[in-house]
Amino acid sequence: MSYTVLAVLGVVASIALDRWGLRTRLTTSRTWWLSYAIIVFFQILTNGWLTGRRIVQYNPDVIIGDSEVVAFGRGRLLFAPVEDLAFGFALVLTSCAVWVWSGRREKASA
């Protein structure tokens, strides 16, 4: 399975978990999207720095782009594969949804 497919599945699974699994519905709030904008800004900077310097390299057979590391285009955004944005979104949303859900659960049992 390619990194692209796994990233898309991760996004779908994290949204399903947020909306229907844990019912936190973070993605329906303006606060979530404003917070995520801050996170994704730093994610792009970090990913770009790591991939632009070739500290992290990707197999071109499993990503949208090719092996040429460019700032924009060819499936890359500031040197990082676009799949990293999708995977990062899924990771952050899942973490935040579980955090909110567990906080609500703790308050309910108190």
Side-chain angles (χ1 to χ4, degrees):
M1 201 176 290
S2 74
Y3 189 42
T4 306
V5 171
L6 290 172
V8 170
L9 289 174
V11 168
V12 171
S14 67
I15 291 172
L17 182 69
D18 171 51
R19 296 275 177 107
W20 302 289
L22 301 177
R23 295 191 173 134
T24 51
R25 301 183 53 81
L26 295 178
T27 54
T28 62
S29 76
R30 185 172 181 222
T31 304
W32 157 256
W33 291 107
L34 290 173
S35 301
Y36 184 68
I38 295 167
I39 292 167
V40 79
F41 171 77
F42 287 103
Q43 177 189 356
I44 290 170
L45 285 179
T46 304
N47 281 0
W49 188 80
L50 290 170
T51 55
R53 295 178 181 273
R54 297 188 184 265
I55 295 168
V56 175
Q57 297 181 30
Y58 295 87
N59 180 346
D61 296 334
V62 297
I63 60 172
I64 291 173
D66 54 26
S67 61
E68 187 174 345
V69 178
V70 294
F72 296 99
R74 296 188 178 189
R76 293 182 181 259
L77 179 62
L78 286 178
F79 304 107
V82 294
E83 291 91 343
D84 274 1
L85 292 175
F87 178 74
F89 174 85
L91 180 67
V92 171
L93 178 57
T94 300
S95 299
C96 290
V98 169
W99 182 274
V100 169
W101 176 79
S102 62
R104 288 178 184 169
R105 189 171 171 207
E106 186 176 306
K107 282 183 183 178
S109 67

